[in-house]
Amino acid sequence: MNLMREKTRSVRALLAALALSACAAYGVSRAGSTASTVYAQGEYVEQLGGVSSPFADVAQVVMPCVVGVSNRANTYSIVSGQTELVEQATGSGVVITTQGHVVTNYHVVEGANDVQVLWQGQYLQAEIIGVDELTDLAVLRVTEDVMLPAVRMGKADEVRVGDWAIVIGNPLGSQLADTVTVGVVSAVDREIDSSTIVKMLQTDAAINSGNSGGGMFNTRGELIGIPSLKFSASGSRGEASIEGIAMAIPMDVVQPVVESLIQNGRVTRPKLGISVLTLRGSEEPTDGLIPAGVFVSAVSEGSPAQKAGIRADDIILNVDGKRVMRHTDLTSRIAGKQAGDTVTLTICRIPGLSELTVRDAVPRGEIFETTVTLELPEEKEAA
């Protein structure tokens, strides 16, 4: 019996020594950690101290660049019998130039007669420089003599699924100003609505009412997106329960829009002169099936597309040699062009495509390239 106890003690001593060794090694391996091991309440416990957070570093640097936005509108007061400026909506914004330019969402300032920004606890008067409803973006400028720090812009093509996403804004207004939430980039190029050219960044970082127009940052403190919307449902009455799905406008959409708004007060986009839909089909355009791409449902008379020989029922496969699978792939690439620029489109033309049924064999299509010179539309067109 004594021999058994001695063996048990020896085993326990060996395990304790191994545990101490493992904890010590763990403490050394963690950069910036001052890990130590103590014996407390009958167990070995690792105490960690001084482990720095990249989120805290980012928040400290970029938080002064994030502001609140107050949308105020003229409202008639029955009590006073006069028209008064009343706050009708709140949101967030990000300072993008040292001249006081602030980017926010269009829906944050929509219908505003007066705009103020909340910075470091004080309200500053601002003016609306320009808005772009199509991308849900707007640019303000602080008109008071205050030097605001500007953010550093990130690059859209460097954002990857799984990257950290740090969101800073004012959910529910000034009461919860400078709120920081953290998640990951859940998806890129997420197509949300057929009426918009914007493809979104998806994140599971908490975004609530009032976060709209704020900033989504990477761990280098670079602005990678502008939070714009979230999905929510309680799951009652047969609805799906939704958590952790929010969207931000990526920087490859934000930058050209804000630059145009600052320079011109508006965004002028060249047009192909076509109406388009996303066509779900085969990814390979040469396998004898109807290919996925951008389906041309109509071509405007005298448009650049018509001049280049594009017809209704054509399927656009590539833009400047890059595959397009959805209508937003096409519209977002055209949106970055200027009038007079040329684009090369790869077209698939299948005879009688619009008259085919599911039982019909697909005729062999013709695949060819055509060059289109972009023009500014004389009047608003479908696409």
Side-chain angles (χ1 to χ4, degrees), residues 36 62 67 168 255 269 281 294 301 309 362:
S36 60
V62 305
V67 300
I168 301 178
Q255 284 190 281
R269 297 182 175 89
V294 181
E301 187 73 26
V362 179

Side-chain angles (χ1 to χ4, degrees), residues 56-130:
D57 295 338
V58 170
Q60 183 177 8
V61 171
V62 305
M63 193 173 287
C65 306
V66 180
V67 300
V69 177
S70 174
N71 174 334
R72 304 197 303 170
N74 291 322
T75 303
Y76 179 78
S77 172
I78 299 177
V79 176
S80 65
Q82 297 179 344
T83 299
E84 302 174 352
L85 279 173
V86 177
E87 185 175 77
Q88 63 176 356
T90 60
S92 305
V94 182
V95 183
I96 53 175
T97 74
T98 54
Q99 289 74 46
H101 292 103
V102 175
V103 62
T104 186
N105 285 139
Y106 164 73
H107 75 259
V108 170
V109 297
E110 183 180 6
N113 298 118
D114 182 83
V115 177
Q116 293 183 329
V117 301
L118 176 63
W119 179 71
Q120 304 287 287
Q122 59 180 320
Y123 280 96
L124 305 174
Q125 198 64 40
E127 61 179 350
I128 299 176
I129 296 297

Side-chain angles (χ1 to χ4, degrees), residues 104-319:
T104 186
N105 285 139
Y106 164 73
H107 75 259
V108 170
V109 297
E110 183 180 6
N113 298 118
D114 182 83
V115 177
Q116 293 183 329
V117 301
L118 176 63
W119 179 71
Q120 304 287 287
Q122 59 180 320
Y123 280 96
L124 305 174
Q125 198 64 40
E127 61 179 350
I128 299 176
I129 296 297
V131 301
D132 184 44
E133 186 176 357
L134 191 59
T135 56
D136 192 28
L137 291 170
V139 172
L140 319 175
R141 187 178 69 86
V142 174
T143 56
E144 299 188 30
D145 188 18
V146 178
M147 180 65 74
L148 302 180
V151 298
R152 183 170 59 186
M153 302 287 193
K155 296 180 180 179
D157 58 2
E158 294 181 356
V159 179
R160 303 175 303 165
V161 173
D163 282 347
W164 287 113
I166 306 166
V167 174
I168 301 178
N170 296 356
L172 306 183
S174 60
Q175 183 179 2
L176 299 177
D178 300 329
T179 291
V180 179
T181 57
V182 175
V184 297
V185 176
S186 305
V188 297
D189 293 340
R190 188 69 85 189
E191 184 177 334
I192 302 303
D193 192 315
S194 61
S195 65
T196 178
I197 68 170
V198 176
K199 293 186 292 183
M200 298 283 197
L201 295 175
Q202 181 183 333
T203 181
D204 65 345
I207 293 178
N208 295 288
S209 298
N211 271 116
S212 292
M216 186 166 80
F217 302 89
N218 59 24
T219 52
R220 293 191 296 270
E222 297 169 335
L223 183 67
I224 60 173
I226 302 297
S228 181
L229 59 91
K230 68 170 185 175
F231 290 79
S232 62
S234 62
S236 60
R237 297 183 180 180
E239 292 182 342
S241 179
I242 300 173
E243 292 182 6
I245 299 180
M247 302 291 165
I249 306 169
M251 295 312 296
D252 60 342
V253 174
V254 174
Q255 284 190 281
V257 169
V258 298
E259 288 173 3
S260 182
L261 291 177
I262 291 173
Q263 293 175 7
N264 308 312
R266 61 193 179 97
V267 178
T268 304
R269 297 182 175 89
K271 301 289 185 177
L272 289 171
I274 56 179
S275 298
V276 295
L277 300 168
T278 295
L279 180 63
R280 311 291 182 182
S282 171
E283 293 186 9
E284 296 297 330
T286 58
D287 60 5
L289 302 175
I290 295 176
V294 181
F295 178 75
V296 179
S297 59
V299 179
S300 299
E301 187 73 26
S303 66
Q306 187 187 54
K307 295 174 184 178
I310 298 174
R311 305 174 187 172
D313 292 353
D314 282 350
I315 304 170
I316 301 174
L317 303 177
N318 298 337
V319 177

